[in-house]
Amino acid sequence: MKKWVYLFSEVKEVEKLAGGSWDGVKSIVGGKGAGLMDMTRAGVPVPPFFTVTTEACNAYQDGGKFPAGMWDQELKALKAIEKATGKKFGDPANPLLVSCRSGAKFSMPGMMDTILNIGLTDKVAEGMVKATGNPRFVYDSYRRLIEMFGSVVMETGDEPFEHPLAAYKAEKGYKGDTEMPAEDWKAIVEKFKQAYKEKTGEDFPQ
């Protein structure tokens, strides 16, 4: 079956596939993926990762759906990252949070979409509060995920989230985000979930 996904441990395989050319590696896994692989082979301690090939992106654009086998390969790669980190995606007691970033062979405007903190849910947030003792950090992270997922994946734009936050801060008399304690960010999470549902017609994924 066609290989669409490469793990952090498969740098040599990708380099061999590219004929030893690092420019060729960029063609296979994109600039950001190649950068992570370059740091990995240099011994820089980057977190475990996997990259989806640029060819998979082209196949999706051409066919309007994931190419055969790609999703299963991603799930398998996620399991490998769970093993490498000792964490589990969706586990409230020991959650693995994932960042997703787009990339291409060449740096281009509009290719900077990033979604942080994937894996945060209501239950995972509660578990992280217990584990870290830092609810402000947890709920600030959660509201960022909701906004990024909404604006990037569901194409809602930022406006549905910017207005509720600005209105809340004005009501409380806050001038900056740094003034907001944990309970405020927890309230913002609920407002963002409501805004997400109003724009998409769906509840935020749990």
Side-chain angles (χ1 to χ4, degrees):
M1 179 176 284
K2 182 77 175 178
K3 191 170 176 66
W4 305 108
V5 176
Y6 287 95
L7 274 165
F8 59 94
S9 57
E10 297 176 313
V11 177
K12 289 183 178 179
E13 182 179 341
V14 176
E15 194 170 6
K16 183 178 180 181
L17 189 64
S21 163
W22 206 249
D23 195 54
V25 172
K26 287 184 180 180
S27 296
I28 297 170
V29 297
K32 295 184 183 72
L36 287 169
M37 289 189 166
D38 196 19
M39 288 188 284
T40 299
R41 70 174 183 169
V44 177
V46 296
F49 62 91
F50 67 84
T51 62
V52 181
T53 64
T54 56
E55 189 178 2
C57 177
N58 292 336
Y60 174 79
Q61 296 287 353
D62 291 341
K65 61 181 180 180
F66 290 162
M70 189 195 82
W71 185 243
D72 288 338
Q73 290 178 28
E74 288 196 65
L75 294 177
K76 184 178 179 181
L78 186 61
K79 291 293 182 184
I81 290 177
E82 287 180 336
K83 184 176 181 180
T85 59
K87 298 180 178 296
K88 188 172 178 59
F89 192 75
D91 181 359
N94 186 30
L96 171 68
L97 300 187
V98 180
S99 298
C100 179
R101 196 168 190 196
S102 61
K105 179 181 179 181
F106 302 105
S107 179
M108 296 181 289
M111 288 299 294
M112 297 296 287
D113 285 339
T114 300
I115 308 172
L116 306 176
N117 310 318
I118 301 170
L120 266 175
T121 63
D122 293 351
K123 289 184 178 179
V124 170
E126 292 172 5
M128 284 187 65
V129 169
K130 292 178 182 177
T132 65
N134 191 344
R136 188 185 188 281
F137 158 74
V138 173
Y139 287 107
D140 186 13
S141 299
Y142 193 8
R143 65 96 184 184
R144 292 175 189 273
L145 167 63
I146 298 168
E147 180 174 2
M148 285 185 281
F149 191 88
S151 62
V152 175
V153 178
M154 304 303 287
E155 299 182 332
T156 64
D158 293 322
E159 190 175 359
F161 306 101
E162 290 174 347
H163 285 180
L165 179 57
Y168 187 92
K169 286 161 65 175
E171 180 185 344
K172 293 279 188 174
Y174 297 137
K175 293 182 179 179
D177 291 356
T178 54
E179 299 176 71
M180 297 172 64
E183 57 265 28
D184 287 323
W185 287 121
K186 189 172 184 179
I188 290 297
V189 164
E190 295 306 314
K191 289 183 179 294
F192 277 19
K193 283 159 61 178
Q194 181 181 350
Y196 178 94
K197 186 170 185 176
E198 288 174 357
K199 291 297 290 186
T200 67
E202 305 171 6
D203 289 324
F204 184 75
Q206 294 297 309

